[in-house]
Amino acid sequence: MITRRNFIVTTGLATTAVLAQPSLAFSMNKKEIGLQLYTLREELPNDVKATLEKVSKAGFTTVETYGFSIKDQFWGLTPKELKKLLDDNGLKAVSGHYNLGSFLYDGNTSELIASIEAAKNLKSEFLTVPWVDEPFRRNLEDYKKIASRLNEAAKMCEKAGLKLAYHNHDFEFQKYEGITGYEILLNETDKDIVYFELDLYWVIHSGNDPIKLFSENPGRFKMWHVKDKDKNNNDLNTEVGSGLIDFKPLFAAAKQSGMIHFFVEQENNFAVNSFDSIKSSCDFISKNLI
C-alpha cells in the first residue's frame, strides 16, 4: 500500500525554460475542454440525454466515456445510439475507458474486440485502459505481463484505426526491487503504439512530479485527467482552480508532454452539485489555463 503524502504542485516544479513557454503551447483547439463522464456516474445512467445536454451547456466540447460492456453497452444504449446523442449536443467522444473484461489477465479478447467496435462506432481516437485489479499487480512480473498485453491490444487497436492508452492511479508508483510499476509500463510497451493518459491528481497524490515524467518520457502522455486536490482533505477532489494544485506550470509543459486532449474529472466532494462543479472547473480552465 502506498503511503499517501500531501504534495502541492507549485511553480517551483517547473524549470525556467518550461515557464517561459506560452500556456497554449500544445496542439489542441484552444476551446476544446473535455469531461470524463465518470464524473457524472450518478446522473448519467438515469437520463443520458438530459445529462449530455447539461455537459454541453457547461462548456465542454469533448467527453471520455466509461462503463461499456457487451451485456449492457452504454447504460442500455448502443454505441450508435450514444453517438447520435453526442452529435445532437455538439460533443465528441475522443476517448473512452474500457475495462476489456479479463483480457489483461488471461488474454481473452472478447470484450476487447467489442470495445474496439464500440470505440469505432463513436468515432473515437483513443481506447483507454482505466484500471488493473489488485490481484494482478503485486510484483514486477505482473506489470511485465500487463505491458505485454497492452502491446497486444495496441496492435489490434492500430489495425482498427484507434490508439491505445493507459490511465494511471497512484498504485503504479509503488516500487518493487527499486523500480515502479509505472516505469515497467513505460519502458516495456511500444512507444509508437502505446500511449498514456496521465491522471495529474494521482501522480501528485503519490508524491511524484508530472513535469519530471514529461521530461523523462517526452510525447508519451497524449491525454490528461485534470482534477484538483481539496485543501482540507487531500484524499478528496475539488473543482479545478479551487484546490492545492497549481496547474499553470503543468499546462505550460503540455507540448513536452505530448498532450492533445484533456478531461476534467471529479470523483467526489461536489461543492453544490455535480453540474455546478463541472461548470466551475470548465470556466476556470477556459479563463486561466488555455
Side-chain angles (χ1 to χ4, degrees), residues 140 143-145 147 179-189:
L140 287 180
Y143 278 98
K144 288 175 182 289
K145 182 177 180 180
I179 187 170
T180 68
Y182 203 61
E183 288 175 286
I184 293 293
L185 296 180
L186 283 165
N187 293 336
E188 299 206 6
T189 52

Side-chain angles (χ1 to χ4, degrees), residues 1-20:
M1 186 74 177
I2 300 173
T3 301
R4 293 180 171 180
R5 305 196 301 272
N6 294 349
F7 189 85
I8 302 172
V9 174
T10 67
T11 53
L13 287 174
T15 63
T16 302
V18 169
L19 286 173

Side-chain angles (χ1 to χ4, degrees), residues 176-226:
Y176 306 88
E177 302 172 28
I179 187 170
T180 68
Y182 203 61
E183 288 175 286
I184 293 293
L185 296 180
L186 283 165
N187 293 336
E188 299 206 6
T189 52
D190 185 338
K191 66 180 181 179
D192 292 325
I193 58 172
V194 177
Y195 304 100
F196 288 81
E197 178 177 65
L198 201 70
D199 191 305
L200 300 175
Y201 168 89
W202 283 118
V203 172
I204 292 163
H205 201 59
S206 71
N208 287 277
D209 179 357
I211 292 177
K212 185 172 184 289
L213 285 171
F214 301 164
S215 176
E216 293 172 345
N217 307 276
R220 293 207 74 181
F221 306 103
K222 299 299 184 186
M223 297 182 291
W224 295 354
H225 273 190
V226 178

